[in-house]
Amino acid sequence: MTYKILALDLDGTLFNTEKIVSDANKAALQAAREKGVKVVITTGRPLAAIGNLLEELDLIHEDDYSITFNGGLVQKNTGQVLDKSSLTFEEVSYVHEKLKSIGLPTDILSEGTVFSIPSPDGRKSQYRQANPLLNFVELGSLEDLSKDIIYNKIVTVTDADFIDQQLAKLPENTFEAFEYFKSRDIIFEVMPKGVHKAFGLQLLGKHLGFEAKDVMAMGDEANDFTMLAWAGLGVAMANAVDEAKQIADVVTSLSNDQSGVAEAVQKYILGEEN
């Protein structure tokens, strides 16, 4: 099978633990591009949170694209937005109240800015540590949030055990009107209903003329489930959560710290199987 698109998650997939792209991964991506495969970064982050990665991978041309905010934005890497989905203020208010009720902080992302509201007992978000390149604004309460901006997604970021313990106190259907998932052990994310990575790739496909069968997708966490299931070839990393491995078509033998992306690209895009 020949693939036209390589959809790549960042954290836990293309990035190693140190948030670095290995030389082996870089070489494999370059070889894939030389073969005509388009590399599409598919991430929960906004472009502003990935630093100089696009320059590092030479993905800064007019025909380079990324799926950001877990499918909430489909954009050219030059910044031009092709499609966008967002939360309403009423939805933001609802999610914030639920998180507040169980003592969790709230981060509301609007493009490259994060509006942070501590929990009632003063627990602050750890999102700044996870995404230091974003602009952080601490608010006293939701009343301080502007109603004239785009709300891309909401996250709560705190100690892994505490976040699980607190979320378990909410009824199972609390967030049924949204897409919600753990994207890392310390990060819980809430997105508009129906907006996820597969949705973003489908929208990009309409612009570029590709279908699911043309896509090889790689990921490791819950926010990757939809694209791993949707793509013609879903590849879970060796370090992926168990459900990702069950959903994917194949699992790499190497982790993100061992250039697992390069392994899969060599096998399924550059190898004899194509």
Side-chain angles (χ1 to χ4, degrees):
M1 180 67 193
T2 300
Y3 300 104
K4 298 178 182 178
I5 304 291
L6 173 59
L8 279 179
D9 171 56
L10 294 180
D11 297 293
T13 302
L14 182 61
F15 284 153
N16 63 18
T17 305
E18 304 301 318
K19 309 299 183 189
I20 292 170
V21 181
S22 69
D23 290 341
N25 280 351
K26 287 181 187 176
L29 296 187
Q30 180 59 34
R33 293 175 65 211
E34 289 172 359
K35 192 172 178 178
V37 176
K38 186 175 292 296
V39 174
V40 177
I41 300 301
T42 312
T43 178
R45 301 181 183 209
L47 279 187
I50 63 177
N52 64 353
L53 174 70
L54 299 178
E55 290 83 358
E56 193 178 332
L57 299 179
D58 191 31
L59 296 175
I60 53 174
H61 307 287
E62 186 67 22
D63 60 346
D64 288 322
Y65 302 83
S66 289
I67 308 296
T68 57
F69 290 114
N70 293 310
L73 283 187
V74 179
Q75 58 193 129
K76 291 189 175 186
N77 289 349
T78 56
Q80 179 186 347
V81 174
L82 304 180
D83 296 284
K84 62 182 176 182
S85 306
S86 58
L87 296 162
T88 65
F89 182 82
E90 289 72 26
E91 288 173 327
V92 170
S93 179
Y94 172 86
V95 174
H96 169 62
E97 287 302 318
K98 295 304 180 184
L99 296 176
K100 178 181 175 183
S101 73
I102 53 172
L104 291 175
T106 302
D107 286 309
I108 302 149
L109 275 75
S110 178
E111 299 177 321
T113 299
V114 182
F115 296 94
S116 295
I117 305 174
S119 67
D121 64 355
R123 178 179 289 264
K124 294 189 176 184
S125 167
Q126 296 177 19
Y127 200 50
R128 186 188 295 267
Q129 287 76 26
N131 284 284
L133 297 175
L134 297 178
N135 176 40
F136 284 80
V137 177
E138 188 163 317
L139 304 180
S141 71
L142 192 67
E143 294 176 0
D144 300 326
L145 181 68
S146 170
K147 294 185 179 179
D148 299 322
I149 58 175
I150 290 173
Y151 312 117
N152 297 106
K153 69 174 180 177
I154 295 173
V155 301
T156 185
V157 188
T158 190
D159 300 333
D161 290 342
F162 184 75
I163 202 171
D164 289 341
Q165 168 192 307
Q166 297 309 100
L167 287 171
K169 296 178 179 180
L170 292 173
E172 283 189 17
N173 63 351
T174 298
F175 299 113
E176 65 181 5
F178 305 86
E179 300 293 329
Y180 60 96
F181 43 77
K182 294 280 292 294
S183 59
R184 281 173 52 189
D185 60 350
I186 62 169
I187 303 178
F188 177 73
E189 307 201 19
V190 181
M191 296 284 303
K193 190 69 173 178
V195 176
H196 43 68
K197 291 188 178 184
F199 172 75
L201 285 167
Q202 285 175 303
L203 290 176
L204 183 60
K206 291 178 181 178
H207 290 284
L208 301 184
F210 67 80
E211 302 173 30
K213 65 180 177 62
D214 302 316
V215 179
M216 173 174 146
M218 297 192 66
D220 71 307
E221 271 287 0
N223 59 332
D224 300 314
F225 291 172
T226 61
M227 73 171 183
L228 292 176
W230 175 82
L233 183 68
V235 183
M237 301 295 292
N239 52 281
V241 296
D242 287 344
E243 192 172 347
K245 293 178 180 179
Q246 292 164 10
I247 291 170
D249 300 297
V250 295
V251 179
T252 63
S253 64
L254 302 178
S255 72
N256 64 313
D257 283 327
Q258 301 166 312
S259 302
V261 166
E263 175 197 2
V265 169
Q266 289 161 0
K267 184 172 184 179
Y268 302 110
I269 290 178
L270 306 177
E272 297 175 358
E273 295 175 48
N274 286 281

